[in-house]
Amino acid sequence: MTAYYKFNLGENLHSVYIRGSVPRGLAIYGVSYLDTIAITTKDTDELNLQWVNRTGQELTKEFHCVSGIEFSFYYTKEVLETSTFSMIPFMLKTQSICVYGEDLSSYLPNYKTDKTLGNEHLVNLEDQIKQAKDLKDNTDVADILDCCGWIMKIIVRAGLALVIEKENKYTRDLFPAYKLFSTYYPEKELPMKQALAYAIDPVENANEIVDFLDDMGAWMIREAEKWLKPIIQKGNEI
């Protein structure tokens, strides 16, 4: 992976990280994704990234041990701006291994598993679900599959966010997130298990996805609103 980043980014590449289950030795053959992060010395809007989709597809076909390969890009200046919580610095510090270049983790704060982290997963959940429900008018199978995997991962991780204070644990891995959520919401274990299945093996039936989001998605939005209500009230008092 590093070779592809180096070849395509050249002097604009600062460092490369891998994260998730693969570097921790917990990957499931043919199911887990290989998630990679490139830190760049130039604003990502100024980079030519047309090679990314094609390269990811080619590598996924070549390496059957993973179900997909994700390339992502973040500007060094933005990563090191930590006056407010941001998910990428958090993941670099706690969930990633530097495999090329200077490791920025020593410049990042020590993060805690707390309500701030949970809020990060829940604050945009309603908008994300609404965006995914636009699938109803989409006939592009590739778009439908991508969107299904994307929104279902968000839902599973949002489920963990709902119990993060009770468990004082955090993971990006989907199966442990599903299990922890189900401990506290046994009545929603089956639909969350379905979300997990959709995330791992997306379906191309847009109506099926939208129907699920109308049900479980709507419930998740209501629970997220309960979570966020004290934060919004506190903000209005300031």
Side-chain angles (χ1 to χ4, degrees):
M1 302 303 298
T2 299
Y4 290 93
Y5 278 124
K6 290 171 68 176
F7 177 79
N8 288 284
L9 297 179
E11 63 182 10
N12 295 319
L13 178 63
H14 176 276
S15 50
V16 177
Y17 297 78
I18 57 174
R19 68 173 181 83
S21 59
V22 172
R24 290 185 288 121
L26 300 175
I28 301 174
Y29 188 93
V31 173
S32 297
Y33 267 71
L34 175 59
D35 296 317
T36 70
I37 300 172
I39 307 302
T40 65
T41 58
K42 179 184 286 188
D43 193 316
T44 54
D45 291 336
E46 301 176 17
L47 299 175
N48 177 9
L49 302 179
Q50 294 181 351
W51 56 274
V52 173
N53 289 337
R54 173 180 51 80
T55 302
Q57 292 170 2
E58 291 175 353
L59 289 173
T60 300
K61 290 179 181 178
E62 181 178 355
F63 298 101
H64 301 290
C65 55
V66 294
S67 61
I69 297 174
E70 180 178 329
F71 291 88
S72 55
F73 306 82
Y74 299 94
Y75 184 26
T76 312
K77 183 177 180 180
E78 295 174 350
V79 171
L80 295 176
E81 172 49 60
T82 58
S83 57
T84 58
F85 181 86
S86 178
M87 184 57 71
I88 296 304
F90 170 80
M91 286 196 298
L92 292 186
K93 182 74 173 186
T94 65
Q95 309 277 312
S96 308
I97 296 175
C98 183
V99 295
Y100 172 80
E102 181 188 11
D103 188 354
L104 295 178
S105 62
S106 61
Y107 300 102
L108 301 174
N110 292 320
Y111 293 97
K112 296 180 180 180
T113 303
D114 58 14
K115 199 174 184 72
T116 300
L117 180 55
N119 177 59
E120 187 73 11
H121 284 281
L122 296 171
V123 67
N124 295 314
L125 182 62
E126 182 174 6
D127 289 340
Q128 290 164 332
I129 289 175
K130 286 181 179 178
Q131 180 182 344
K133 288 172 68 174
D134 287 341
L135 280 175
K136 184 166 285 189
D137 299 320
N138 195 327
T139 58
D140 188 312
V141 172
D143 280 352
I144 294 171
L145 291 172
D146 286 346
C147 186
C148 179
W150 167 74
I151 192 60
M152 297 305 169
K153 289 177 184 177
I154 286 174
I155 286 176
V156 175
R157 288 167 179 154
L160 174 61
L162 292 173
V163 303
I164 197 170
E165 286 189 302
K166 297 181 178 71
E167 281 290 330
N168 196 32
K169 294 179 181 177
Y170 178 79
T171 177
R172 296 281 296 176
D173 296 340
L174 299 177
F175 185 75
Y178 145 74
K179 292 295 288 184
L180 289 171
F181 166 85
S182 300
T183 300
Y184 294 91
Y185 293 93
E187 74 280 7
K188 292 297 180 181
E189 188 269 340
L190 286 179
M192 187 59 82
K193 189 175 184 179
Q194 182 62 70
L196 175 66
Y198 283 141
I200 294 172
D201 188 17
V203 296
E204 58 186 59
N205 186 327
N207 289 330
E208 180 179 345
I209 299 166
V210 172
D211 286 346
F212 180 85
L213 295 177
D214 282 339
D215 186 6
M216 183 61 172
W219 182 86
M220 291 291 296
I221 289 172
R222 292 194 295 272
E223 292 301 304
E225 288 175 345
K226 295 177 186 177
W227 170 281
L228 295 168
K229 187 175 180 180
I231 299 174
I232 294 173
Q233 290 176 335
K234 183 178 180 180
N236 290 337
E237 292 172 359
I238 296 176

